[in-house]
Amino acid sequence: MSILNPLFEAVAWVIMRIHAWLSVPFGASSGWAWGLSIVILVMLMRLVMVPLFVKQVRSQRKMQAHMPQLQELRKRYKGDKQRLNEETMKFYKENGINPLGGCLPLVAQLPVFWALFNVLRAISDWQPGTTPKYGLTIPVVQSAKDARIFGASLADKFLFPLPHQTLESRLVILAFVLVSAATTYLTMRQSQKRGMMQQGPVDPDNPAANMQKYMMYIAPFFALSGLYWQFGLVIYWVTTNVWTLGQQH
């Protein structure tokens, strides 16, 4: 038994409650009921994380307000990396800056993502005559396996497809992965443009700014890992990206 089982069971419980509510208008085995269950799960999680988002914004603003001093440190210790790191960390401590503050929302949502991955895998691996994992019930698991969202089931993958998969389901997953990559790019681009408006033109000698620029083009390729994921996880990630894009705006 994994020490993370309570988390998996909690996510499974929330999904079952949402699904039970959506089953009334759409039907238990409806793709709408299961697709919207994941979307609403993301929305509830992101609402809970609003305080972390506020901390992220405050951390970013504090970092931006002290950017001229940080740039001065980089120029002063340009040839001494060790001294630069020491002085930078000292500066962070003296001014109450948390350089990892901007990562809080991402770190917070990873456990839920991992839990959903395991819940979906439990649904996919369930065989008639066995007891489903994580507190899932047999009717719920059966309805999840029967549900089709634009022709694809929650457990379907683009790469390493399941035996029953059709070309249509793989194309649907591919389309969602491309949307995920596009929204990842737009989120990074929006963040960079906001930073340029607040800080002015990017200093070509600023490694952090240059790294952010490169990441704007590199990050969307990470979204292509969705080609390995179950379709339910791709829906989760697209919803997260769209929420982040709107929240940043």
Side-chain angles (χ1 to χ4, degrees):
M1 179 176 175
S2 170
I3 59 172
L4 294 177
N5 271 18
L7 175 62
F8 302 161
E9 291 168 359
V11 169
W13 184 88
V14 172
I15 288 180
M16 286 195 294
R17 300 286 83 74
I18 298 171
H19 175 259
W21 176 63
L22 292 172
S23 294
V24 176
F26 296 112
S29 297
S30 164
W32 283 105
W34 276 105
L36 288 175
S37 293
I38 295 175
V39 170
I40 293 174
L41 173 69
V42 174
M43 294 172 65
L44 291 174
M45 180 191 68
R46 295 308 296 263
L47 285 172
V48 170
M49 285 168 49
V50 165
L52 289 180
F53 176 73
V54 173
K55 285 186 178 181
Q56 178 192 36
V57 172
R58 288 176 178 170
S59 176
Q60 289 174 340
R61 286 179 176 174
K62 187 177 285 189
M63 180 76 78
Q64 290 160 359
H66 291 86
M67 193 56 68
Q69 296 96 312
L70 288 169
Q71 290 176 343
E72 183 62 33
L73 282 176
R74 292 189 186 104
K75 291 178 182 178
R76 188 183 308 169
Y77 302 107
K78 189 175 182 180
D80 189 344
K81 277 193 174 184
Q82 183 177 348
R83 183 70 186 278
L84 173 60
N85 290 335
E86 291 173 355
E87 293 296 327
T88 300
M89 295 308 296
K90 180 181 177 183
F91 183 83
Y92 286 157
K93 186 175 181 180
E94 290 175 350
N95 292 276
I97 298 174
N98 180 6
L100 300 178
C103 303
L104 288 175
L106 176 61
V107 172
Q109 66 181 304
L110 287 178
V112 179
F113 179 83
W114 179 242
L116 182 60
F117 171 83
N118 281 274
V119 170
L120 291 175
R121 185 168 63 180
I123 291 173
S124 175
D125 293 344
W126 175 78
Q127 298 295 329
T130 62
T131 302
K133 293 182 178 179
Y134 313 130
L136 294 165
T137 65
I138 291 177
V140 166
V141 172
Q142 190 62 63
S143 69
K145 291 176 77 74
D146 293 340
R148 292 293 180 272
I149 303 170
F150 302 115
S153 76
L154 295 177
D156 284 352
K157 301 177 182 179
F158 182 83
L159 297 177
F160 307 108
L162 301 176
H164 69 273
Q165 274 189 242
T166 64
L167 176 61
E168 177 189 6
S169 73
R170 297 181 70 190
L171 292 176
V172 167
I173 296 170
L174 176 62
F176 271 74
V177 169
L178 292 177
V179 170
S180 177
T183 49
T184 299
Y185 169 78
L186 291 173
T187 300
M188 299 291 291
R189 183 171 179 268
Q190 185 185 64
S191 179
Q192 187 192 44
K193 287 181 68 176
R194 182 178 59 192
M196 290 177 64
M197 289 175 63
Q198 294 174 346
Q199 300 175 26
V202 176
D203 180 0
D205 295 326
N206 184 346
N210 288 329
M211 179 60 70
Q212 186 181 34
K213 180 180 177 181
Y214 297 142
M215 283 300 296
M216 183 174 68
Y217 297 101
I218 296 172
F221 287 99
F222 290 106
L224 297 180
S225 61
L227 297 173
Y228 292 91
W229 299 346
Q230 297 144 322
F231 184 37
L233 289 178
V234 179
I235 295 174
Y236 172 98
W237 208 250
V238 169
T239 307
T240 296
N241 284 354
V242 172
W243 180 284
T244 303
L245 195 61
Q247 188 170 251
Q248 282 190 169
H249 181 72

